[in-house]
Amino acid sequence: MSEKKILEQWRDVAYDESADKGKLQKFWATYFNIEKGIYEQLLENPDEVVTGTVKELAEKYKQDVFTMTGFLDGINDSLKEANPIEEMTEDTVVNLGFDKEKLYKNMVDARADWLYNLPQWDKIFDEATKKRLYLEQKKSGTIVKGPKIGRNDPCPCGSGKKYKKCCGRNA
């Protein structure tokens, strides 16, 4: 792989709007299967911080550097210490020391049920914890609106006037 930013190369292929939809679907299906395999291995020893160059990790998980770059892009938000993925080359030293709760929540957020339902999670969290983390993540994206202000209610700006005679006029 060239010294060009490999993350840029990954994103060009993975998020190519002009690509054939069938090929892109096949690309992602293949990638998700590979991703699942890497996570199965990582979750077997969740406290072990795997480190090495991008190339070494690709070899460790029997992948090419290009695919490993996609994996590193995906896990980066769940790491205790983020990797320099924007400037990364195959010789960049990276680590896979992930925050377990954050990783689980990010998998839920990505709607990646094939990942957050992996049996390896059962050794890390009990059912109650998994349910709590799942609900916390789902609720974090929920927008809660305040109570609706009626026309004849006091204006929330504190003027003492009715809403319809104050801020409600501008609305």
Side-chain angles (χ1 to χ4, degrees):
M1 192 142 282
S2 71
E3 289 300 311
K4 182 184 175 195
K5 294 178 183 156
I6 53 180
L7 181 64
E8 204 174 308
Q9 294 173 16
W10 163 260
R11 289 180 176 167
D12 285 349
V13 171
Y15 304 109
D16 185 3
E17 296 286 327
S18 63
D20 174 84
K21 299 297 177 212
K23 286 182 182 175
L24 201 54
Q25 244 180 341
K26 188 176 180 189
F27 168 84
W28 279 109
T30 302
Y31 172 76
F32 290 148
N33 201 32
I34 292 167
E35 178 185 47
K36 181 181 175 189
I38 296 172
Y39 276 120
E40 285 170 339
Q41 293 176 61
L42 277 176
L43 294 173
E44 282 298 326
N45 297 307
D47 297 318
E48 176 191 349
V49 178
V50 178
T51 59
T53 65
V54 176
K55 188 175 184 177
E56 290 167 347
L57 291 183
E59 289 168 2
K60 176 181 172 92
Y61 294 106
K62 297 175 178 53
Q63 299 305 317
D64 55 47
V65 170
F66 184 72
T67 303
M68 194 68 214
T69 300
F71 182 82
L72 291 167
D73 187 23
I75 196 173
N76 209 44
D77 289 340
S78 303
L79 299 177
K80 292 176 183 173
E81 188 180 316
N83 289 314
I85 61 170
E86 298 294 333
E87 306 88 43
M88 191 167 64
T89 67
E90 64 181 27
D91 297 320
T92 304
V93 175
V94 293
N95 83 81
L96 299 179
F98 57 91
D99 177 307
K100 294 177 211 104
E101 289 193 3
K102 202 178 210 184
L103 180 61
Y104 190 84
K105 286 180 174 183
N106 285 340
M107 288 174 171
V108 170
D109 187 42
R111 296 184 180 98
D113 58 334
W114 65 93
L115 296 177
Y116 67 79
N117 284 327
L118 285 171
Q120 287 82 355
W121 283 114
D122 296 337
K123 297 175 193 165
I124 300 169
F125 299 130
D126 60 23
E127 281 304 313
T129 304
K130 288 193 295 184
K131 186 174 183 176
R132 176 183 58 82
L133 293 172
Y134 182 89
L135 291 174
E136 280 176 16
Q137 181 56 43
K138 287 296 185 183
K139 286 180 183 175
S140 72
T142 304
I143 299 170
V144 179
K145 291 185 176 180
K148 186 170 164 79
I149 303 162
R151 299 173 25 84
N152 291 314
D153 291 341
C155 191
C157 76
S159 67
K161 298 179 184 177
K162 288 185 177 184
Y163 180 68
K164 68 182 177 186
K165 294 282 187 183
C166 191
C167 295
R169 277 191 178 157
N170 302 332

